[in-house]
Amino acid sequence: MLDYNVPGGKLNRGLSVIDSYRLLKEGQTLNDDEIFQASALGWCIEWLQAYFLVLDDIMDNSHTRRGQPCWFRVPKVGIIAANDGVLLRNHIPRILKKHFRGKPYYVDLLDLFNEVEFQTAAGQMIDLITTLEGEKDLSKYTLSLHRRIVQFKTAYYSFYLP
């Protein structure tokens, strides 16, 4: 399940963490520990995205993701994919605990991931209630609404979080 859902994208969210850290260090070279920690945070974001995508595909009844069948459409997976999404999400605090528990900003990391997950879920809700199955009314789908969906559903975890 992990090999199917976590890697495979462009990994730009995770790599953005390392790039952002380099920018914050104002050109100073990152040591091995700093690269490892930034990479661990980057992978947490990639796991978060995998969680969002697995559940989004189920909610949207999608057929493909990244050129292959959506996880829930893989034979013998089906609705078990919902639990797989929950497992993906629940590994994030475990990774954070393993690598950051002793850091003074550990609780801030947990809070940040929780807040970004809430913002993304709010964007998903706006998207879902705007495009209800059988009630597709494009007159409700304004540019302002589209911006709100993009801001909440994608931008927080894609740009703000890294």
Side-chain angles (χ1 to χ4, degrees), residues 47-63:
W47 283 58
L48 185 68
Q49 182 190 25
Y51 154 67
F52 290 142
L53 297 181
V54 166
L55 295 183
D56 181 68
D57 288 342
I58 295 168
M59 289 181 239
D60 292 346
N61 199 25
S62 297
H63 291 275

Side-chain angles (χ1 to χ4, degrees), residues 1 9 35 39 69 103 108 112 118 121 132 149 151:
M1 181 272 289
I35 291 170
S39 298
K103 304 291 184 190
D108 295 323
L112 179 60
F118 173 78
L132 290 172
I149 292 169
Q151 175 186 358

Side-chain angles (χ1 to χ4, degrees), residues 23-157:
L23 289 171
L24 289 170
K25 295 277 289 193
E26 298 178 343
Q28 297 176 30
T29 303
L30 301 181
N31 64 40
D32 289 345
D33 189 48
E34 291 171 325
I35 291 170
F36 179 85
Q37 289 178 337
S39 298
L41 287 174
W43 276 110
C44 285
I45 297 173
E46 294 297 332
W47 283 58
L48 185 68
Q49 182 190 25
Y51 154 67
F52 290 142
L53 297 181
V54 166
L55 295 183
D56 181 68
D57 288 342
I58 295 168
M59 289 181 239
D60 292 346
N61 199 25
S62 297
H63 291 275
T64 59
R65 169 76 62 189
R66 298 175 177 159
Q68 60 187 8
C70 294
W71 178 239
F72 79 99
R73 294 197 179 274
V74 170
K76 298 185 180 178
V77 175
I79 202 63
I80 293 169
N83 191 70
D84 291 339
V86 172
L87 285 173
L88 286 164
R89 169 56 180 103
N90 279 276
H91 268 78
I92 296 166
R94 295 168 63 92
I95 294 168
L96 294 175
K97 181 179 177 182
K98 180 174 182 173
H99 299 292
F100 298 95
R101 186 177 192 160
K103 304 291 184 190
Y105 51 84
Y106 171 64
V107 173
D108 295 323
L109 286 175
L110 294 173
D111 286 344
L112 179 60
F113 273 89
N114 287 333
E115 181 61 25
V116 167
E117 181 183 9
F118 173 78
Q119 298 295 338
T120 306
Q124 176 71 3
M125 184 215 39
I126 296 167
D127 185 22
L128 289 168
I129 64 175
T130 303
T131 58
L132 290 172
E133 242 351 272
E135 296 182 26
K136 298 204 190 288
D137 179 3
L138 293 180
S139 67
K140 295 189 308 185
Y141 201 74
T142 64
L143 185 56
S144 172
L145 183 63
H146 173 75
R147 284 188 183 129
R148 285 179 55 211
I149 292 169
V150 169
Q151 175 186 358
F152 288 96
K153 186 175 174 180
T154 306
Y156 277 103
Y157 84 90

